[in-house]
Each structure stands twice: as structure tokens, then as C-alpha cells.
Amino acid sequence: MSGERAGGVTPRWVVNLLRVAPKPIQWTQLVRAAVILSVPIALGYLFGNVGYGALASTGALPSVTADISDTYRARAVRLTGALCAAVLGFALGLLAGGDAALSVPLVIVVAAVSALVSEAGSNASIASLQLFVFTVLGIGHSTDEVSAGTSLTCFCVGAVWGLSVALAGWTVRATSPERSAVAQVYLELATMLSAVSVGDEKSALDARHQLTEALNTAYDRLLTARSWLSGRDDTYRKLLNLLAATTPAIEATVAAVNAGVHPPRALIGHFTDLATAVLSDTRLPVLQPPRDERPEQAPAVTALYEALSDIGTEERRLHRSRTSARERITEWAHSLVSGPLTWLAAVRLTVCVALAELTRFLVPTEQSYWITLTVGLVLKPDFGSVFGRAVLRGAGTVLGAGLGTAALLLVPHGALLVLLIALFGAGLAFGKGRHYGLLSAFVTPLILVQMELSSDVDEVASARILDTAIGCVLVLVFGYLLWPGSRRPVLGGRLADVAETIAEYAEYALRPVGDEADRIERSRRRRRAYRGLSDLRTAFQQIVVEPSAAGRQAVAWWPAIVSLEQLTDAVTAVAVAVGQEAAEPPEDSEVRKVRAALAELSLAVRTGARPNEVELPRGEVLAGVRSQLAGALDSVTGPDLRTFRHVR
């Protein structure tokens, strides 16, 4: 992120392209993926027809690639949609067969539909991807000797198997994901305080980012569960109220980190005790008050003691009305009508898929449908940088094809090959979400082995490398270099939106809380601000891998992103100090200056003009806010706005 060159020679975008996202290893996911993908092939060997087992393993693949860490109900909805889309796509592909007059229009239409459906949300996006992928794979499998009906039956059996294993723990661990999400919030709070107590500012900052992610996850899971249950389940209600009651403790912790306060170890230990109690579903621990009242005790520490003492004794209820299917469809249709970017993405994907379909008939190799498959996987409109995905897809495929070839040539068929497939499946679960190159490196040998076992195609590895290379070149040339606006900077608009969201939060946070409704509204606006900052970081990480103007703009805006994060922390610190009566509330005129400064920052980013001089708030209470505002405005003047004038 800092922009330094590794060893003095490696370009910054290459370093960011190769960076692996740090995520804790979910061992259950790895084991589950290994079992889902290897057992069908083992049964195929056992019953004397490994080809059927390989087809079933292919049908189970979406239950691994589409799975996420979420509640069982959310996972069930996501996986059911993905697997149904995969079955539909595979059936369409088999029916189209090897008839180019049917298969080519089918793939092009499915690509266009896939791009448009992606706008309807995350679940729709992953389902549309499975529809496209398995339509292409179905066309490829239609040339095998196995009948279409038998192939589809084996595929469906694998899909049911994958879904069953993925959700097997629901009956005994129904509320475990929600409990883990709430407990993770307390663990991140403990990590933040531990880091600041030893003076490790970097670890404290990283923990604050992780806290934002943990909060987003916990609220999403619990509010979704509550909307589905319509308030009938006492467990979800208690967890949601507990999380809402933790809001003052979160604000006080952020204030302590912002001020560099060294908190007592008892507070850190209490957060870990809370996490343990939530996970084990036992009575919440009671925080013992400090033995002596110290006049010099920081307001943030006092606020922490008060907030932790209140946890479990209050009920702050948050409700989310359930959105009907009709409302979701209406919202999606509205986004299509009003969103030209969605149509541009759909047109780009459709054009490139059509070129891939034309090209694959000119390539004299088996399984040339991988050209089209590569184009679709890389150009998925909501999966980040096209350039980065094309490069990583190519590199990962070369590595994965080498692994797959070695597996087919050196490992004897039978138990050892089944074990190797289990290892590839675990690697797929590990690479997913961490690095697209890792994902490609593990999914490639897995599919190569499945294809070899189900169709006995020779030289499949070399053909896969050639087809993937051709697909990546098509994407880079026609979908990136020649496509209008593909290299245009896009981060500025999101930066401006986040600045406006922070301004809305500051308007509530810097004024005294009138009643409980005001406190809840302030909490919502704070979560919205931090969620926006988290999404902005994600967008930055996706775009910064590009060597184009978009990547250079992302690097140029990075100081502004950091300044806005620090500004939000400073606003929270003032809110805590005012709430503890350790500081007088700032005057309304001073709060308006904060909002006006952020509005000027947002306007400067959107228009490409340098920000005008604005009057910053005065007084000791807003000293931290004033400093961070000045830094944010200075960072906006840093980029060459004439170069980065295209803001979306």
C-alpha cells in the first residue's frame, strides 16, 4: 500500500497483484471441500465406473466455489441458487450439444443474461456465474460417449451430495455462525486494546479494520435472521440486543485507540471473557469496578467501564423489515434502467464471449470451449479488476496445469488419486477469497483430473494452457485495452460518497445525544460510515493492481482514504468525550464547519478542481477533528486532478 518497490525494481502494481489477502484458515471448510469433491470419485472407483463419479464430483463443485462463511440459512439460499443455476446451465449445454448453430447463440445469450442478473445482488451474481460456467461445460461434455440423460443424472446427484454435506451441521449447530460473528467483535476489541497497550499502532489500526469487518458481518447475519424469523426466535433477539448494547463500548474503544490510552488489562480480559460466554452460550461475565477512582483516568477508559457494565442489562432493539421478492425484483429492474455501467459491462462480456466462440472454432485442440469459459470468468462484471484477473488466471492456469499433468502421469488411479483430488479441493477452499491466482492454480488440476476421468481426453493439460492463454489475450485486448473507458479512473466517485457519509455521521456524533432513538441513529450512521470506508478499501485493493490511470489514481487517492479513516476515529473520540461530560459539546456553528469542509472535499473530488479554502472548526474539543480535516483536504490536492478528472 505504501507504494515502495520491492528490491528497488518491482513495480508497485505487481506487488499488489501478488499480495495474498490475510484471512484465518477455516479448517472445516477445507475438510468439507475435500470430502465433497473426492467421495464421488472414490465411489466411482468402488463401483467400477469412475466416469460417473467424476461427473458427480463436477456437479458438487459449485457447493465449494459458491460457499461462504455465513449463517446456515444464508448459505442454504446461496448454495441452492448456485446449484440450481449450475444444473440448468449444464442441461442447456448438453441439449445444445455439438451443434454450433445452437451452442454459439446459447452461450452468447447466457453471457448477456449472466451479466445483467449480477446486478440483483451477491447471491444472484454467483448463481449467474454458475449458469454461464456450466452451460459452457455442458457443451463440452455433450461430445462425450456418455448419454446426455446419464450425464445430467450424475451431475444432479453430485449437486445434491454437495448441498447435503455443506449443510449437514445445521441440525446441531444452528446458531453457531451467529454466535461466532458476535464473539469475533469482542475478540477484535480485545486485540485493539492489547495493541494500543503495548504501543503497537499498526496492529491497532489493522484490528480496527478487522473490527469494522466483524461488525458488518455480525449485523448482516443477525438482522437477516431476524427479518426471516419476524421476531419469533429468542436466541437471535438476545444476540442482536447484545450487539446493539455493545455500541458504546465500541465507540469508547475507538476513542481509546485514537488517543493512545493504555487501558487496564482487566478491560482486555473482560472482552475475551465476553467472547467465550457468547460462544458457549453461558451467562455473561460481570465486570468488576476499578478498585480506586483515579481523577486522571482518561474519559475513554471511564466510558469503557460504564459501557461494559451495561452490557447484558439493557435491550436496544433493532428491527429490519423483510423485503419481499417483488420489491427485490423491482429494485433490480430499476437499477438496470438507471445504471448504464451495468449495460456496458453486459455488452463488453457479450462481445468478448462472441469473439471467443468465433475463435474456438479456429483452434485445432480438444476442449477449446475453455477459451469461452476463461473469457466469462475473467470478465464477470462485479469481480474486480479485469487486468488483474486476466493476468492471475493465466499464471494460475499454467501452474495448475503442471500440477494436473503431474498428477495424471505420476499418480496411479485409485486411492492415491482420490487423496490428491481431496488435496486439490482443500486447496481450492483455501485459495478462494484470498487470491485469484491461488484459486486458479488449484481449480485447474482439479477440473483436469475430473475431465480426464469422465471423458478420457488426451493432452488435456496442454490444451487447457493454450485455450486459457487465448482467452486471457482476448480479454486483455478487446475487453481492456480497446474497450472504451476500461482504464478510466473510477475510485474518486466512491471516495466522494464516503466523505458525504462521514459528514452525516459527524452531524449526529458531535452533538449531545437527546434520547435512545438518537443514540441508535448515531450508531447506524457510524456503522454506515465505517462500512463505506471498508468498501472503499476493498475497491482500492481491486483497482490498485492495474498499471493504467485507474491504478495510478487509486495510489494517488490512498492518503485521502487513510485521512478519512482517521477523521472518523477522531469524530468518534469527540462523541465519547462529550458523552462522558469530559468535554463541552461543540457549538452548532462548529459542527456545520465540519460538514462544510467534507462537502468541499467531496465536491473537489467529483469536479476535479482543487478544494476552496474553508474555515475549519476551532477550539480544543475539535482539535483532533480539525487536524484530520486539514490532512484530508491536503491529500485531495495531492493527485493531479487534470489527469484523474473522470470520476464515477
Side-chain angles (χ1 to χ4, degrees):
M1 303 297 181
S2 63
E4 296 179 358
R5 294 174 178 262
V9 295
T10 305
R12 179 184 313 157
W13 63 269
V14 174
V15 175
N16 289 303
L17 189 67
L18 298 177
R19 179 175 287 116
V20 178
K23 288 188 175 182
I25 299 177
Q26 301 288 339
W27 293 104
T28 55
Q29 290 185 3
L30 271 61
V31 173
R32 187 165 59 237
V35 170
I36 286 174
L37 297 175
S38 63
V39 167
I41 294 179
L43 292 176
Y45 277 119
L46 182 64
F47 290 103
N49 197 323
V50 69
Y52 291 172
L55 281 170
S57 179
T58 304
L61 186 59
S63 63
V64 176
T65 57
D67 201 5
I68 54 174
S69 297
D70 208 328
T71 64
Y72 279 102
R73 180 182 181 275
R75 290 177 57 224
V77 171
R78 183 182 178 90
L79 291 178
T80 301
L83 288 165
C84 288
V87 169
L88 174 61
F90 196 71
L92 290 174
L94 290 174
L95 291 175
D99 187 352
L102 292 176
S103 63
V104 172
L106 173 65
V107 171
I108 294 174
V109 170
V110 168
V113 171
S114 174
L116 294 176
V117 170
S118 295
E119 185 68 16
S122 174
N123 290 344
S125 175
I126 197 66
S128 66
L129 176 63
Q130 305 306 316
L131 175 66
F132 174 81
V133 167
F134 285 95
T135 298
V136 177
L137 287 179
I139 291 173
H141 275 281
S142 65
T143 60
D144 297 342
E145 296 181 357
V146 182
S147 67
T150 302
S151 296
L152 183 59
T153 299
C154 293
F155 190 91
C156 291
V157 169
V160 173
W161 158 253
L163 181 63
S164 301
V165 175
L167 303 178
W170 197 344
T171 55
V172 295
R173 301 178 66 249
T175 63
S176 179
E178 291 88 347
R179 293 190 180 281
S180 299
V182 175
Q184 190 62 37
V185 172
Y186 293 125
L187 292 177
E188 297 299 346
L189 289 168
T191 302
M192 284 178 63
L193 292 179
S194 298
V196 77
S197 66
V198 297
D200 190 348
E201 295 183 2
K202 183 181 184 304
S203 295
L205 183 61
D206 291 341
R208 208 263 289 142
H209 296 151
Q210 294 298 324
L211 171 64
T212 300
E213 183 176 344
L215 272 172
N216 292 342
T217 300
Y219 272 109
D220 287 345
R221 291 183 181 180
L222 289 170
L223 288 171
T224 300
R226 286 280 286 156
S227 66
W228 170 57
L229 293 165
S230 301
R232 293 188 296 271
D233 192 277
D234 188 59
T235 299
Y236 294 111
R237 178 184 61 80
K238 288 181 178 179
L239 286 172
L240 184 57
N241 291 335
L242 175 62
L243 192 61
T246 308
T247 296
I250 294 171
E251 294 176 343
T253 302
V254 172
V257 172
N258 185 71
V261 174
H262 292 253
R265 298 191 64 84
L267 293 177
I268 302 174
H270 189 70
F271 276 125
T272 58
D273 292 342
L274 284 170
T276 302
V278 171
L279 283 173
S280 59
D281 193 17
T282 56
R283 183 181 295 274
L284 297 177
V286 177
L287 178 64
Q288 298 299 325
R291 295 181 180 179
D292 56 340
E293 295 292 337
R294 300 180 181 178
E296 69 277 9
Q297 184 170 266
V301 174
T302 303
L304 259 176
Y305 271 110
E306 293 182 1
L308 289 174
S309 299
D310 290 339
I311 289 180
T313 62
E314 302 181 2
E315 288 198 354
R316 298 188 178 98
R317 302 194 175 205
L318 297 178
H319 298 278
R320 174 181 288 182
S321 58
R322 188 177 184 181
T323 304
S324 66
R326 180 179 179 181
E327 290 173 333
R328 290 195 296 268
I329 294 174
T330 302
E331 183 180 355
W332 168 66
H334 177 73
S335 67
L336 292 183
V337 173
S338 61
L341 295 181
T342 301
W343 288 99
L344 288 175
V347 171
R348 178 169 66 173
L349 178 60
T350 305
V351 169
C352 289
V353 165
L355 291 173
E357 284 291 285
L358 175 64
T359 303
R360 77 182 184 90
F361 290 107
L362 305 177
V363 178
T365 62
E366 296 286 348
Q367 313 295 336
S368 60
Y369 58 85
W370 282 109
I371 298 174
T372 304
L373 188 62
T374 298
V375 170
L377 289 171
V378 172
L379 274 179
K380 192 67 170 66
D382 52 350
F383 282 163
S385 167
V386 170
F387 173 84
R389 286 172 64 86
V391 172
L392 292 175
R393 177 77 184 178
T397 297
V398 171
L399 176 60
L403 291 174
T405 303
L408 293 172
L409 294 178
L410 303 178
V411 179
H413 285 215
L416 288 179
L417 190 59
V418 171
L419 177 60
L420 198 60
I421 290 171
L423 292 176
F424 288 152
L428 168 61
F430 175 82
K432 183 185 63 176
R434 286 180 173 83
H435 194 267
Y436 188 65
L438 275 178
L439 172 65
S440 300
F442 283 112
V443 77
T444 298
L446 176 65
I447 297 181
L448 286 179
V449 174
Q450 290 174 335
M451 290 168 54
E452 169 72 17
L453 296 178
S454 63
S455 60
D456 292 327
V457 176
D458 296 328
E459 299 181 354
V460 71
S462 59
R464 176 72 192 275
I465 292 176
L466 176 61
D467 293 340
T468 301
I470 294 173
C472 290
V473 169
L474 286 174
V475 168
L476 288 174
V477 173
F478 296 100
Y480 183 71
L481 293 175
L482 299 181
W483 192 261
S486 62
R487 290 168 289 161
R488 179 180 300 171
V490 297
L491 194 64
R494 298 186 182 186
L495 178 65
D497 291 341
V498 171
E500 293 168 0
T501 303
I502 295 172
E504 294 175 357
Y505 166 54
E507 187 175 18
Y508 261 75
L510 297 179
R511 289 190 169 98
V513 176
D515 52 23
E516 188 62 24
D518 286 344
R519 185 184 296 278
I520 292 176
E521 181 61 25
R522 188 181 76 178
S523 174
R524 286 173 174 160
R525 295 196 181 204
R526 179 186 57 78
R527 292 200 313 274
R528 194 177 300 129
Y530 279 108
R531 184 185 289 268
L533 288 167
S534 178
D535 292 343
L536 188 61
R537 270 182 166 265
T538 300
F540 167 83
Q541 291 164 356
Q542 291 175 341
I543 298 172
V544 76
V545 301
E546 298 190 13
S548 64
R552 294 194 300 272
Q553 189 212 47
V555 174
W557 285 135
W558 177 244
I561 297 173
V562 174
S563 295
L564 287 178
E565 289 179 339
Q566 295 172 341
L567 170 63
T568 308
D569 288 347
V571 169
T572 301
V574 173
V576 171
V578 171
Q580 289 297 308
E581 299 182 353
E584 291 293 328
E587 298 179 1
D588 286 347
S589 59
E590 298 296 284
V591 176
R592 286 195 294 270
K593 291 177 183 177
V594 174
R595 180 145 196 174
L598 286 168
E600 181 61 32
L601 184 150
S602 176
L603 182 63
V605 173
R606 293 190 189 282
T607 61
R610 297 190 179 277
N612 296 320
E613 291 290 335
V614 294
E615 185 179 0
L616 297 178
R618 301 177 180 178
E620 186 64 25
V621 176
L622 295 179
V625 174
R626 179 173 61 251
S627 175
Q628 299 302 338
L629 267 176
L633 290 169
D634 288 342
S635 65
V636 170
T637 63
D640 184 352
L641 297 178
R642 292 172 298 177
T643 302
F644 305 136
R645 62 187 300 176
H646 303 288
V647 174
R648 287 192 286 173

